[in-house]
């Protein structure tokens, strides 16, 4: 009877050793996966960190340097919407409305951050692109409340469409 117990213990140890090696293989695979995931997170954080750094540069009074930095970031990550949004805000502060028009040519307002939409619309208004500004204001679906309605009315008056302006108010 004791002999069978020893035999069972020996078999159990072999199974445990086999399981330990399986676990080590799994851990190695998990380590590879985890390092890949953390690398991807680092890339995302790097873009965010660089974007935030550019905004801080602008706040310190170096607007053109910040714009240059965001343009470089945009060339590396052309589909990163927050980079485009921050660039729109800084370009608006610099009075570079034509650059905003070019930058947002293929941009969807549905995915654009709210904090940059008014800069985009105001740039179009300043460029006398009233129809484009009206279209964007309509697409915001009232997200800006009374401020959006007033701006829509102003743009409509400037577009020589007083009936739309009155209807908006």
């Amino acid at each position: 009877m004791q002999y069978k117990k020893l035999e069972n213990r020996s078999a159990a140890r072999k199974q445990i050793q086999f399981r330990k090696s399986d676990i080590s293989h799994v851990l190695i695979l998990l380590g590879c996966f985890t390092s890949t995931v953390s690398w991807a997170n680092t890339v995302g954080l790097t873009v965010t960190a660089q974007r935030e750094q550019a905004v801080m540069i602008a706040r310190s009074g170096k607007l053109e340097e910040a714009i240059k930095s965001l343009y470089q970031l945009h060339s590396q990550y052309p589909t990163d919407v927050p980079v485009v949004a921050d660039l729109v805000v800084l370009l608006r502060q610099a009075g570079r409305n034509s650059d905003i028009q070019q930058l947002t040519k293929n941009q969807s307002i549905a995915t654009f951050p709210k904090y940059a939409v008014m800069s985009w619309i105001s740039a179009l208004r300043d460029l006398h692109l009233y129809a484009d500004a009206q279209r964007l204001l309509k697409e915001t679906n009232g997200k800006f409340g009374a401020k959006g309605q007033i701006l829509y009315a102003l743009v409509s008056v400037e577009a020589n469409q007083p009936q739309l302006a009155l209807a908006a108010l």
Side-chain angles (χ1 to χ4, degrees):
M1 201 173 198
Q2 280 186 342
Y3 181 71
K4 283 191 174 185
K5 282 184 180 179
L6 288 176
E7 195 173 283
N8 288 340
R9 285 182 186 169
S10 174
R13 283 186 187 145
K14 285 180 183 176
Q15 284 183 341
I16 290 170
Q17 286 175 351
F18 180 71
R19 288 182 186 155
K20 283 181 182 177
S21 67
D22 281 349
I23 291 170
S24 65
H25 289 295
V26 169
L27 290 176
I28 289 170
L29 288 173
L30 281 175
C32 291
F33 178 73
T34 304
S35 66
T36 303
V37 170
S38 63
W39 175 80
N41 288 339
T42 303
V43 170
L45 291 174
T46 301
V47 173
T48 301
Q50 288 177 359
R51 183 175 59 81
E52 290 172 353
Q53 183 180 19
V55 171
M56 294 305 293
I57 290 169
R59 287 183 183 159
S60 73
K62 299 175 184 174
L63 189 58
E64 288 302 319
E65 183 181 331
I67 289 171
K68 183 180 176 184
S69 176
L70 283 175
Y71 263 126
Q72 288 172 347
L73 199 56
H74 177 62
S75 69
Q76 293 173 328
Y77 304 97
T79 59
D80 192 299
V81 177
V83 170
V84 175
D86 285 349
L87 194 48
V88 164
V89 171
L90 296 185
L91 287 169
R92 178 73 180 146
Q93 288 176 6
R96 293 170 54 180
N97 296 323
S98 296
D99 291 353
I100 293 172
Q101 180 193 13
Q102 288 297 319
L103 185 65
T104 58
K105 194 183 294 186
N106 298 318
Q107 192 69 48
S108 168
I109 200 159
T111 60
F112 213 68
K114 187 177 176 180
Y115 70 89
V117 170
M118 282 302 204
S119 294
W120 181 4
I121 292 170
S122 297
L124 293 174
R125 179 180 173 222
D126 288 353
L127 291 169
H128 305 282
L129 299 171
Y130 304 121
D132 291 338
Q134 285 174 314
R135 177 183 51 81
L136 290 178
L137 282 163
K138 283 181 187 177
E139 290 177 14
T140 62
N141 296 323
K143 287 181 185 174
F144 295 100
K147 185 178 179 180
Q149 287 178 309
I150 292 168
L151 183 58
Y152 185 82
L154 284 172
V155 170
S156 297
V157 167
E158 291 169 337
N160 203 20
Q161 299 172 336
Q163 295 80 13
L164 285 177
L166 289 173
L169 299 173

